[in-house]
């Protein structure tokens, strides 16, 4: 399964806000409205490997909550991940020596 293949129309019914990551690539979704309503949107953010509240390098885009919009979200996330890169998640410091 390729990154973001799990995203479909029903995925966004699980929560109105959903944070996630692929290794060090961080993203966040926030939906407005309800499924099958014409004014419903999904806002997507990508940001550096930190908490959303502390992030400074944030990019965002808003998409309609439609089949085409969800496909555009997946394409946008794949593009941003290619631009920003993603490493396997790791703790950024060495573990202490065992005694």
């Amino acid at each position: 399964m390729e990154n973001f293949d799990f995203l479909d129309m029903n995925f966004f019914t699980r929560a109105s806000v959903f944070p996630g990551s692929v290794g060090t690539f961080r993203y966040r979704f926030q939906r407005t409205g309800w499924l099958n309503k014409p004014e419903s949107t999904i806002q997507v953010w990508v940001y550096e490997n930190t908490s959303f509240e502390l992030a400074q390098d944030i990019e965002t885009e808003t998409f309609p909550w439609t089949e085409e919009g969800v496909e555009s979200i997946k394409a946008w996330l794949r593009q941003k991940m290619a631009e920003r890169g993603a490493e396997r998640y790791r703790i950024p410091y060495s573990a202490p020596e065992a005694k």
Side-chain angles (χ1 to χ4, degrees):
M1 179 181 262
E2 191 173 339
N3 293 323
F4 312 114
D5 280 349
F6 64 93
L7 295 175
D8 62 19
M9 292 286 287
N10 290 322
F11 174 84
F12 297 101
T13 63
R14 296 179 184 174
S16 61
V17 175
F18 182 88
S21 66
V22 176
T24 58
F25 178 76
R26 305 274 181 145
Y27 58 89
R28 180 183 179 106
F29 306 120
Q30 181 170 353
R31 70 168 163 80
T32 58
W34 293 100
L35 187 60
N36 297 322
K37 299 290 183 188
E39 67 280 356
S40 300
T41 62
I42 301 167
Q43 188 169 4
V44 184
W45 294 267
V46 295
Y47 52 100
E48 70 269 24
N49 189 25
T50 187
S51 70
F52 183 72
E53 293 75 19
L54 296 177
Q56 295 180 1
D57 182 16
I58 299 173
E59 295 179 73
T60 188
E61 191 74 36
T62 302
F63 301 88
W65 190 3
T66 62
E67 292 286 348
E68 297 81 17
V70 171
E71 290 304 313
S72 296
I73 289 170
K74 291 193 264 188
W76 189 76
L77 286 169
R78 289 179 181 129
Q79 174 193 348
K80 293 302 168 186
M81 193 162 95
E83 291 172 6
R84 289 173 169 257
E87 299 175 15
R88 290 183 68 162
Y89 181 76
R90 59 181 167 68
I91 298 173
Y93 55 86
S94 300
E97 295 286 325
K99 292 185 182 187

